[in-house]
Amino acid sequence: MIRKLLVANRGEIARRIFRTCRALGVETVAVHAEMSDLHAAEADAAVVVESFLNIDQIVEAARRSGADAVHPGYGFLSENAGFARAVEAAGLIWIGPTPDAIEAMGDKIRAKKLVSAAGVPVLDGDDTFPLLIKAAAGGGGRGMRVVTDPGTLRSELAGASAEAQSAFGDGTVFTEPYLPQARHVEVQVLGDQHGRIWVAGDRDCSVQRRHQKIVEEAPAPGLPDTVRAELHRHALAAAEAVGYRSAGTVEFLVDGDRIFFLEMNTRLQVEHPVTEAVTGLDLVAWQVAIAEGRALPAEPPPSWGHAIEVRLYAEDPAAGFAPQTGRLRAFDFGAPGIRVDSGVEAGSEVGVRYDAMLAKIIAYGPDRASAIRLLADALRRGVLHGITTNLALLRAILADDDFVAGRVDTALLDRRLAAWTSAGQDHAVRKAALAAALGSAVRTATSAGVQARMPVAWRNVPSQERVRTFRHAGVEHRVTYAGRGGRLESSWLPGVRIESAAADHVILDDHGVRETYRVTVADGGVDVDGPAGSFDLHAVPKFADPAANLAAGSLLASMPGLVVALHVAEGDQVAAGAPIVVLEAMKMQQTLTAPAAGVVSSVAVEVGRQVAAGEVLAVIEESS
C-alpha cells in the first residue's frame, strides 16, 4: 500500500491529486519552485526545487520527504520515460504506465507506425496542402502550425521546431494532412498490471484554439453507434499494442465515418473530470490502486448523463489569445452542481512562467442540454476580477447555435471567433459602467471630509452633468450623471433609471426590470458584478499623461513575455512583415513583425529580457 505520495507537478492538477489522496488516507508531498505556489500549502509536506523539469531534484525530494510513490500529473515530466525509469530506479512506485509504453507512444512518429501495425487507421501523406506541422515529442498545441501556402512551409517548420524545443526539449517535428472539418474525439482507457484494459467512454474536444482544447464533453455528442464502437475498438487495439497500464487517452480525428489515429497520451488528461462525472470513477484513485497491484473489475461502469468542461485561461481572445498577467482580485465560481478544479484563488499572482490555464469548470446533467444550461449559468454568476480572461468567449460558445446543436469540428472556433468575441454585451457593459460611476461618486462624496455634507454629484452649474470615463475591453464609455432634488439621475442610458446608489452597490431599473450591481473600487478602476456577469472597468484620467506619447513607428509587445530571438539591429533596413522580435510566454511563442518597410532607428530590448505588454521593443522609421 502506498503511504506517502509526491506529486511532481503544480497548480490545479497537484491540488486535484491531493484531494483524492486525502480521501484515500495517503500522505502528500508537494514540490514547488516559488514560495507563492498555492498547491504547496495543501500538501502535508513541501520541497523546493529549481524546476519542475529537474529529474534529479524531484527524485531527491521524494527520497528526503520519505515518499514511496510519485505521481507526475500532466505536462512537465508526465510523459518522460527517463523520469519514470529514474523514479523506479530509486525504489519508488511510479503512478503511470511503464517507461517502455511512455517511450513507444511519446514519439508520435513511432506511435503511428506502432498502432498502424495493430490495424488502427492513421493519417499519411505530406504532399497535399493544407498540412499540419506537429511536435514529435509533445502536445497541448505547442509546436503545431497549419500551413496552407507551400512557400511558407520552411519558415513554419523552423518556428514549430523552435517552439517544440522550448516546450519539450526536442525540436523534432513532422507533417500530416490537415482536416479542418474533422472532429477531435478521444477515448479514455485504463489498464491494470494483470493484462486487463478498460475502455471507459469517449469525449469530444473539437472546440480548440491554437490546437489546444478549451471545451470538452463526455460522451461525444451525435456520433453514430457504429463510429463510436469503431473508436472504442481502435483505442483498445492501441492500448493493447503497448500492454498499457494506468490511465491513458487515445485521440482520433473523426471525419464523417472516417477515423484516424492522432496520438496516445500516456498520462491523465486535463479533461478527465468529464469522464469521472459520467462514469462515477475517480481516475486518480484507480491510478493509485493499479500502481499498488489491484486488478480492474471485469467491466467498466456504464456511462450515464452528460458532462461539459471549459478551460478558463488568462488570455485575451480578441488580441490573438495573447497571455495576460496580474493579480486576481476576486475569483469564485462555486455553485450547486458545479465542479471547479483551479490552480488559483483570490489574491493569486499570474505570471508568464507557466501555462495560462487558471481553472477548469465542469457541469454535469442528465442530458447535454441540462449540462450546457447549468454550466452557462455558472459562468454568468462567476466572479472574476483583475486579469483579462477568455470567460466571455466561453459564455459565447455555450450560447452558440452550432455548439448547442452539437455541430462541432476543430475549425468551429476559427469560423466563429469574430462573432464570439464581439458577442452583443454592449448594453450590459454600459449599465455596469453606470453602476461603477455611481458607486465611485458615492464613495468619493462620503469620504470627502469637509465636503461630505454636500449632495452626491453636486455641481455649482446644475445644468451640467458630471462625467466619468471607463475603459472595458479596449472601448471607452463616457458616463454622465447628475444629482437633482436629492436623487441621482442619468440621461446616458435611455430607459434605465437609478433606483438607489451606495458605495458598494447600485440598483438600476431597466425598462421596469430591477437589477442589483455590486461595486468595488480597486487598482485604478472599479469591479462590477451584475446580472450579466463580472466587469473590470478601468478609470480613464481626465487629462492624458504626456509620457504616454509614443514615437511614430514604435513596435510594442503584444503580450508580457521573454525575448527569445531578436532579428534586427539599429540601422537595419527591413521590409513590411519582416520578423523583428520573438516573444515567449506561457510556453507559446509569437513573432512580431515590421508594420511597414523602413529603417530600425532603435532597439530597446535584448534576448533574455522580460518585457511587459505594451512595452516598446523597437522603433522603425517608415520609408518615405
Side-chain angles (χ1 to χ4, degrees), residues 33-81:
E34 298 175 359
M35 296 308 295
S36 60
D37 276 339
L38 182 62
H39 70 281
E42 297 190 7
D44 296 306
V47 181
V48 174
V49 294
E50 291 178 2
S51 166
F52 291 96
L53 297 175
N54 191 313
I55 293 175
D56 292 339
Q57 285 191 3
I58 292 174
V59 172
E60 174 62 15
R63 187 194 64 78
R64 280 196 287 135
S65 64
D68 51 7
V70 174
H71 194 304
Y74 51 68
F76 294 126
L77 295 169
S78 63
E79 294 180 279
N80 187 305

Side-chain angles (χ1 to χ4, degrees), residues 609-621:
R609 162 95 176 274
Q610 186 73 41
V611 299
E615 186 172 336
V616 176
L617 306 177
V619 178
I620 301 169
E621 292 184 359

Side-chain angles (χ1 to χ4, degrees), residues 187 189 197-199 231-241 250 252:
V187 178
V189 297
I197 298 176
W198 275 0
V199 171
L231 282 168
H232 292 192
R233 185 174 67 82
H234 290 319
L236 181 61
E240 288 177 339
V250 188
F252 299 91

Side-chain angles (χ1 to χ4, degrees), residues 285-300:
W286 269 111
Q287 285 186 296
V288 172
I290 289 167
E292 291 177 328
R294 269 209 270 157
L296 291 166
E299 297 292 337

